[in-house]
Amino acid sequence: EAEVAQSPRYKITEKSQAVAFWCDPISGHATLYWYRQILGQGPELLVQFQDESVVDDSQLPKDRFSAERLKGVDSTLKIQPAELGDSAMYLCASSLVEGLAVTDTQYFGPGTRLTVL
Amino acid sequence: GQQLNQSPQSMFIQEGEDVSMNCTSSSIFNTWLWYKQEPGEGPVLLIALYKAGELTSNGRLTAQFGITRKDSFLNISASIPSDVGIYFCAGRVSSASKIIFGSGTRLSIRP
């Protein structure tokens, strides 16, 4: 069964360092999402891509976070510089587009757990 | 912004018991979703609801889209150990809006 791949699974870094996370969505899924999940809370959308274009990045802290999906397939989320409050699980998800509508079934990857010291 | 209030925050159950949890919002949603997340994994969609009053089942799980469109309920019948995990409600105000997640209900088995 096709899955969303993410790497690394775990990342420990010191504050002010740069970190990057990678996501490979399910083949054929045009829509890709990056979520941040703080311990004890639900996922919160950071950025949504439709193919290579950003659809929604209203919750992305753009002073330190960046995301790209250059060829409309895999994606990278970067944080520079990392802060203590960035410690969280970063989840990637993908979904199909049917007609003009993005389906509600989002398939999540296993996430990258980031710890900032 | 929109928020989803999920309750209870956590619950301990004995195997075989029925479980109920709910989610409320101050805003009207046109889509309600229920996800389950297990340790070290991403959430997995369990049930999607699209109409007020809709009742949908997935095995031992049943979810309902509240009549007011501001709430949703999830019931698990005859719980088993593999039901342990965190259950998230999620919703969408419109087809063009992002999905918003609740804070989750942690389900544990009472020893």
Side-chain angles (χ1 to χ4, degrees), chain B residues 2 4 25 27-32 65 69 91-93 100:
Chain B
Q2 294 107 11
L4 295 181
S25 169
S27 304
I28 290 176
F29 280 68
N30 75 350
T31 301
W32 284 96
F65 193 135
R69 301 175 65 187
R92 198 196 290 271
V93 172
I100 297 169

Side-chain angles (χ1 to χ4, degrees), chain A residues 59-73:
Chain A
Q59 300 302 309
L60 189 71
K62 298 181 188 64
D63 57 334
R64 297 184 300 107
F65 286 64
S66 64
E68 60 183 18
R69 193 184 184 199
L70 293 176
K71 296 182 180 179
V73 182

Side-chain angles (χ1 to χ4, degrees), chain B residues 1-108:
Chain B
Q2 294 107 11
Q3 282 192 324
L4 295 181
N5 300 307
Q6 200 169 341
S7 67
Q9 283 188 324
S10 63
M11 54 195 315
F12 286 85
I13 57 169
Q14 285 194 326
E15 187 174 350
E17 283 183 349
D18 295 344
V19 174
S20 292
M21 59 190 78
N22 67 76
C23 196
T24 60
S25 169
S26 57
S27 304
I28 290 176
F29 280 68
N30 75 350
T31 301
W32 284 96
L33 308 164
W34 285 92
Y35 284 84
K36 179 187 179 186
Q37 187 175 26
E38 298 187 17
E41 303 292 333
V44 174
L45 182 65
L46 300 173
I47 295 177
L49 303 159
Y50 298 102
K51 294 180 182 179
E54 180 181 354
L55 192 70
T56 298
S57 294
N58 178 3
R60 294 176 297 103
L61 278 62
T62 301
Q64 184 164 22
F65 193 135
I67 292 293
T68 66
R69 301 175 65 187
K70 293 183 177 181
D71 55 9
S72 180
F73 307 87
L74 177 69
N75 295 312
I76 305 173
S77 62
S79 57
I80 59 177
S82 62
D83 290 334
V84 164
I86 303 176
Y87 291 80
F88 290 99
C89 66
R92 198 196 290 271
V93 172
S94 71
S95 59
S97 63
K98 64 183 179 183
I99 291 174
I100 297 169
F101 284 79
S103 55
T105 293
R106 181 181 294 273
L107 191 63
S108 305

Side-chain angles (χ1 to χ4, degrees), chain A residues 36 44-47 57-67 77-81 83 85-86 90:
Chain A
R36 177 170 57 188
E44 184 178 5
L45 181 68
L46 291 174
V47 61
D57 64 356
S58 57
Q59 300 302 309
L60 189 71
K62 298 181 188 64
D63 57 334
R64 297 184 300 107
F65 286 64
S66 64
L77 177 70
K78 297 179 181 178
I79 308 175
Q80 181 173 18
E83 295 181 353
D86 296 332
Y90 290 83

